[in-house]
Amino acid sequence: MAQNVLLEIKDLSKWFVIRKGILSKVSGYIKAVNDVNFIVNKGETLGIVGESGCGKSTLGRTILKLINPTKGEIIFNGINITNMTREQIKPLRKDMQIIFQDPYSSLNPRKTVGEIIAEPMNAQKIGTKEYIHEKTIDIMKECGLNTEYIRRYPHEFSGGQRQRIGIARAISINPKFVICDEPVSALDVSIQAQIINLMKNLQEKYNMTYIFISHDLKVVKHICNRVLVMYLGQVVEIADKTKLYNNPSHPYTQALLSAIPIAGKETKNKIILNGDLPSPANLPKGCYFHTRCPKARSLCKENTPKLKEISPGHFCTCDFI
């Protein structure tokens, strides 16, 4: 692993078993993530985009070992964590955190804000009670939360405030790496901007590395350094955000970017994809995208393209680039 690389993912897959009948026999698999490869450099923000159901959130949870991978390798900071048990990986949890999408269901309604933010510090046995209390107060201030609310419960806060609590909890133990799983998708647009700016400021202050999962391509362009595009559990394109937004190569990426609305203008040259997203339980043969691709050829139905470098730092899976 290169010195600047914090996370390396090799041929990572996550399949969920489908069982049927009284005897619960295996009848198939939902192939949520398929042979994914990429790296994340220290201090950067890697965006992961794609339609709902493409495997973004499953990939994020698998990387953190919240769910176990079916195959492949997860190498974090030079350590292969793929086959680590829950106990073995616990010391590494202080460096790996997640901000969840839903600020309503991700907070324990029975705990106060102070208890929620302090929970990771208590789990990792960091410092005395006095230190943890002081640290909790400091983090609340940094995240724009009134410290007088430390004994309030999550139901007493708005959605934006709850997401700030979730962010405060994630950074309370100074992690090196945070997965942000659509952290602003449930919020109003005005609140989204505040949360994004907060996350950028915290990243700069604590030198954190983000994976930012989202379906909002405008937000991704604002906060990310590089962008990874997923379709049906596969990576179809990875590039620096400037290259990807100015010169998208894969037909799926082109379709996604063509749908971005521009204020005060009609969206011209919008690419309309025909058909529905195929089921991950019954994936198409060949290129997964060929059933909807406006540029598909006969070879696409037979050959499964591999991720290849088409220019420095720009990777794509299409055989006709």
Side-chain angles (χ1 to χ4, degrees):
M1 181 183 281
Q3 193 173 4
N4 195 45
V5 174
L6 180 67
L7 178 73
E8 186 173 3
I9 302 301
K10 296 181 178 180
D11 299 321
L12 190 66
S13 296
K14 178 59 187 177
W15 297 0
F16 296 97
V17 176
I18 302 172
R19 297 182 185 274
K20 288 186 178 179
I22 298 173
L23 300 177
S24 296
K25 288 186 177 179
V26 176
S27 62
Y29 296 91
I30 296 174
K31 299 177 179 180
V33 177
N34 286 289
D35 296 322
V36 167
N37 292 274
F38 65 91
I39 61 169
V40 183
N41 296 312
K42 293 176 182 177
E44 80 166 336
T45 300
L46 175 69
I48 299 181
V49 301
E51 292 171 282
S52 296
C54 73
K56 305 186 298 294
S57 294
T58 302
L59 175 60
R61 285 164 168 75
T62 306
I63 290 168
L64 289 184
K65 292 270 290 174
L66 298 179
I67 51 178
N68 289 319
T70 303
K71 64 173 184 173
E73 291 183 85
I74 307 163
I75 302 170
F76 177 75
N77 208 21
I79 302 169
N80 191 328
I81 67 171
T82 314
N83 298 314
M84 280 187 174
T85 63
R86 198 170 183 175
E87 285 303 311
Q88 288 172 330
I89 204 171
K90 188 175 179 180
L92 290 174
R93 291 291 183 207
K94 68 180 186 298
D95 292 327
M96 308 165 67
Q97 289 293 306
I98 184 169
I99 300 167
F100 293 98
Q101 175 180 359
D102 187 355
Y104 293 90
S105 63
S106 63
L107 303 178
N108 189 334
R110 293 187 177 90
K111 290 190 175 184
T112 64
V113 170
E115 290 170 336
I116 289 169
I117 295 171
E119 190 174 11
M121 291 184 277
N122 287 320
Q124 293 290 335
K125 299 179 180 177
I126 296 173
T128 62
K129 282 187 177 181
E130 291 75 16
Y131 169 83
I132 291 173
H133 179 74
E134 289 175 9
K135 179 78 172 175
T136 301
I137 293 290
D138 290 341
I139 291 168
M140 288 183 70
K141 289 177 181 176
E142 282 190 310
C143 292
L145 293 164
N146 192 327
T147 55
E148 293 178 5
Y149 299 162
I150 193 168
R151 290 184 176 85
R152 291 192 180 184
Y153 290 86
H155 72 270
E156 300 178 73
F157 294 88
S158 67
Q161 288 174 316
R162 290 188 200 194
Q163 198 59 289
R164 288 176 187 272
I165 295 166
I167 292 169
R169 175 179 58 185
I171 69 161
S172 63
I173 47 178
N174 299 337
K176 294 177 182 176
F177 174 60
V178 181
I179 288 185
C180 313
D181 187 5
E182 302 202 38
V184 297
S185 63
L187 306 177
D188 293 337
V189 175
S190 58
I191 305 300
Q192 284 184 10
Q194 294 175 20
I195 298 298
I196 291 297
N197 289 333
L198 171 64
M199 291 175 65
K200 289 182 74 174
N201 292 337
L202 291 170
Q203 181 183 28
E204 188 175 333
K205 180 173 181 178
Y206 291 104
N207 194 29
M208 292 184 291
T209 302
Y210 288 158
I211 281 182
F212 192 90
I213 298 168
S214 180
H215 60 266
D216 190 326
L217 292 161
K218 279 192 169 182
V219 171
V220 168
K221 186 177 183 181
H222 178 66
I223 195 172
C224 297
N225 305 108
R226 289 189 301 132
V227 183
L228 180 155
V229 183
M230 285 188 74
Y231 182 79
L232 280 179
Q234 283 193 329
V235 177
V236 297
E237 191 164 0
I238 311 174
D240 172 86
K241 70 175 179 183
T242 304
K243 285 185 179 179
L244 189 110
Y245 280 77
N246 292 342
N247 186 30
S249 297
H250 196 280
Y252 179 62
T253 309
Q254 293 170 0
L256 286 180
L257 295 180
S258 75
I260 298 176
I262 301 172
K265 295 182 181 179
E266 273 191 55
T267 304
K268 295 182 179 180
N269 302 320
K270 186 174 180 180
I271 300 171
I272 306 296
L273 298 178
N274 296 319
D276 296 323
L277 189 72
S279 168
N282 185 25
L283 294 171
K285 291 183 179 179
C287 174
Y288 290 174
F289 188 57
H290 85 263
T291 58
R292 303 171 73 197
C293 181
K295 301 177 182 179
R297 306 181 194 180
S298 56
L299 177 66
C300 302
K301 299 177 183 179
E302 304 296 332
N303 185 50
T304 303
K306 302 294 183 184
L307 196 65
K308 60 185 179 182
E309 192 168 20
I310 57 174
S311 67
H314 192 165
F315 298 82
C316 184
T317 59
C318 185
D319 283 329
F320 298 102
I321 301 300

